[in-house]
Amino acid sequence: MRYEVVLPAAGSGKRMGAGQNKLFLPLAGKPILVHTLLVFEQDENCTGIWLAVKDEERASIQTLLEQYQITKVKGLPTGGLERQHSVHSCIKEMTAVEVVLVHDAARPFITTPTITKLAQVAFEKGAAIAGVRAKDTMKIVKEGLIKETVDRESLWMIQTPQAFRFDLIVEAQDVAEKVGFLGTDEAMLVERLGHEIHIVESDYENVKMTTKEDLIFGEAILNHRKV
């Protein structure tokens, strides 16, 4: 199933404490962003990549695209203060495609089989998101006291990509903008329309590079994949 992917890349990476956009930080000799881009560059089903960027970082990203021969990028629109705004800036510039994926640019270990499954389910059902089953015991805590233990059998930790039929994500983004609603992810916007979201099981290696400790995990994942 053919698709195009949106990568919000205009974040500040404050939790990483790097003093710069974390996507430029090296991971096994390549910027985090490049690792992510190469996954989609090498996937024959990906027909286009859209990067929402900061104006002051556009030239640096263009240089990386040329250096690593990333050819599928169709646009580098200006990102917003929130992820939702960055995604919407890309959606507004896209022409109609069958399926759109939205993926964290700082999540470089997504695998092609998971992407393929997501795109297919989104095409058939309208919306699908990646996730893994919760492994730890979950408890509701209020004011430092445990109030309830939650049955983890029904809990999933949500990742990206999140995949949607083009017309559905366009409607969800437009409605959210019109009413001033800010969601935590794209699936939340689609849920507000009353549309069902299907889960596609991913894997625990599909981690997001958020803190300095994540870089250690990232190096370990890359070393493991070389074996």
Side-chain angles (χ1 to χ4, degrees):
M1 175 52 57
R2 303 283 181 169
Y3 67 88
E4 292 190 5
V5 62
V6 172
L7 301 176
S12 60
K14 291 180 180 179
R15 283 179 287 178
M16 186 68 76
Q20 63 172 317
N21 190 332
K22 65 184 177 184
L23 297 177
F24 295 121
L25 294 177
L27 192 61
K30 295 178 184 175
I32 293 170
L33 177 61
V34 170
H35 284 281
T36 305
L37 286 168
L38 286 173
V39 174
F40 297 99
E41 178 73 19
Q42 295 165 3
D43 184 0
E44 63 182 12
N45 290 319
C46 179
T47 59
I49 302 169
W50 295 81
L51 279 164
V53 304
K54 294 179 180 178
D55 290 334
E56 62 270 26
E57 293 177 348
R58 185 174 284 107
S60 296
I61 291 176
Q62 286 279 21
T63 298
L64 288 178
L65 298 180
E66 295 170 7
Q67 179 181 352
Y68 290 96
Q69 299 180 329
I70 308 295
T71 63
K72 291 184 178 180
V73 173
K74 289 188 171 182
L76 297 165
T78 301
L81 294 176
E82 301 289 345
R83 166 198 172 95
Q84 181 175 316
H85 304 145
S86 291
V87 173
H88 205 188
S89 70
C90 291
I91 296 292
K92 288 177 179 177
E93 292 196 12
M94 296 173 68
T95 54
V97 294
E98 289 182 322
V99 172
V100 176
L101 270 61
V102 180
H103 186 59
D104 297 324
R107 205 180 284 269
F109 304 116
I110 184 62
T111 63
T112 302
T114 298
I115 293 171
T116 301
K117 180 66 174 177
L118 281 163
Q120 187 63 42
V121 174
F123 177 73
E124 295 173 356
K125 307 291 187 180
I129 61 177
V132 290
R133 299 176 189 273
K135 295 189 290 185
D136 298 325
T137 297
M138 298 289 180
K139 296 182 182 291
I140 296 175
V141 179
K142 294 182 180 179
E143 298 178 354
L145 296 175
I146 294 172
K147 299 298 183 182
E148 181 182 351
T149 299
V150 183
D151 180 10
R152 70 182 177 198
E153 290 300 314
S154 62
L155 297 179
W156 288 67
M157 297 183 291
I158 299 306
Q159 305 174 340
T160 65
Q162 300 192 353
F164 311 93
R165 282 202 296 257
F166 181 77
D167 58 342
L168 182 59
I169 189 61
V170 168
E171 180 185 3
Q173 286 275 358
D174 288 347
V175 168
E177 181 180 60
K178 183 177 180 180
V179 301
F181 177 80
L182 186 64
T184 55
D185 64 1
E186 287 64 49
M188 190 174 184
L189 307 186
V190 173
E191 289 167 26
R192 293 184 72 250
L193 300 180
H195 201 287
E196 292 182 336
I197 310 289
H198 294 259
I199 191 81
V200 169
E201 190 159 11
S202 179
D203 60 72
Y204 295 98
E205 287 189 354
N206 185 26
V207 295
K208 186 178 181 181
M209 299 293 98
T210 303
T211 66
K212 291 180 179 179
E213 291 78 12
D214 293 326
L215 295 175
I216 299 173
F217 302 147
E219 294 279 356
I221 290 169
L222 289 174
N223 289 333
H224 173 72
R225 289 185 175 184
K226 290 178 182 178
V227 176

